Amino acid sequence: MAKHVVLIGFMGTGKTSCGRTLATRLGCGLVDLDKYIEAKEGRSIPEIFAAEGEPYFRAKEREAVREVVQRKFAVIATGGGTVKDEENLRILKERGVLVCLTADVDTILQRTERRGERPMLDRSEDRRKAVEELLESRREIYAGADFTVDTSRRSPMQVADEIVDFLRVGGFIRA
Ligand code: S3P
């Protein structure tokens, strides 16, 4: 079975928007893990965090990973913290090619500035510090991807082009 294209990376690195463009380019579906969880739960991620706490969300995220990899070839856009879980990472590596999207801290701050959407950042007084600390704690995990693309100051189309080139050269897709 063809490997999924799994987008990993920090909040605000463009996983959803680049994922959409990439899926169109590849002629396959996009599974956005956060949206998948929201649809199953019938409530938004911030609502889940507020009502049930992070451990509950992470349990739902683990379930979601196991379910979505069973689907046919797709671009899977994960949440920023999905690969923190060792078993999630193992499954995603086994069933997909891992592409990490990155962005500089200023770009991340700008793209995630709206309050009420990112519970992992909203709980901190100092947003820059929260981003820097979380990034540092996840740096090594993100660095384990098969391919990394910086999305700062680049359009989803440019990012998708670069990923398609990588997939082609690596023999993950034909043509
Ligand atoms: C999280 C990232 C979010 C979402 C949740 C937790 C994280 O996804 O899964 O708020 O721990 O980094 P995005 O990376 O799509 O914002």
Side-chain angles (χ1 to χ4, degrees):
M1 204 169 33
K3 285 195 159 199
H4 298 293
V5 179
V6 179
L7 301 182
I8 67 168
F10 202 74
M11 293 168 264
T13 54
K15 299 181 295 292
T16 302
S17 50
C18 297
R20 205 175 295 127
T21 307
L22 181 62
T24 304
R25 290 280 314 270
L26 297 177
C28 69
L30 168 71
V31 182
D32 184 292
L33 209 63
D34 283 342
K35 294 214 169 66
Y36 181 87
I37 297 167
E38 291 182 332
K40 264 189 87 180
E41 284 280 303
R43 49 189 170 167
S44 70
I45 303 289
E47 281 168 349
I48 299 170
F49 265 79
E52 320 284 352
E54 187 183 350
Y56 177 91
F57 169 74
R58 297 298 174 197
K60 293 294 142 189
E61 191 176 44
R62 279 195 291 276
E63 260 174 48
V65 166
R66 280 150 187 75
E67 289 166 11
V68 302
V69 294
Q70 309 292 338
R71 295 180 159 201
K72 66 175 185 197
F73 175 73
V75 173
I76 300 174
T78 61
T82 307
V83 291
K84 261 188 354 182
D85 179 274
E86 269 180 35
E87 194 57 12
N88 285 349
L89 182 60
R90 191 191 64 73
I91 294 170
L92 291 168
K93 261 191 175 157
E94 186 180 289
R95 304 296 295 271
V97 49
L98 257 53
V99 176
C100 182
L101 304 189
T102 63
D104 55 53
V105 172
D106 287 329
T107 303
I108 289 173
L109 282 169
Q110 194 193 324
R111 291 180 185 161
T112 58
E113 70 188 355
R114 233 180 343 196
R115 300 295 189 271
E117 291 182 357
R118 302 283 198 320
M120 296 294 288
L121 300 180
D122 286 344
R123 60 192 181 192
S124 173
E125 295 272 300
D126 185 341
R127 224 167 167 82
R128 178 176 290 273
K129 191 158 164 263
V131 167
E132 284 171 350
E133 285 178 359
L134 263 181
L135 257 180
E136 192 47 45
S137 71
R138 297 175 179 179
R139 191 175 303 282
E140 219 173 291
I141 305 170
Y142 293 146
D146 298 295
F147 184 60
T148 299
V149 192
D150 185 2
T151 68
S152 316
R153 292 166 293 280
R154 300 171 80 195
S155 70
M157 194 60 97
Q158 288 172 310
V159 173
D161 280 347
E162 210 173 304
I163 297 173
V164 169
D165 283 347
F166 158 74
L167 293 172
R168 213 172 264 147
V169 170
F172 295 104
I173 54 167
R174 263 182 266 132

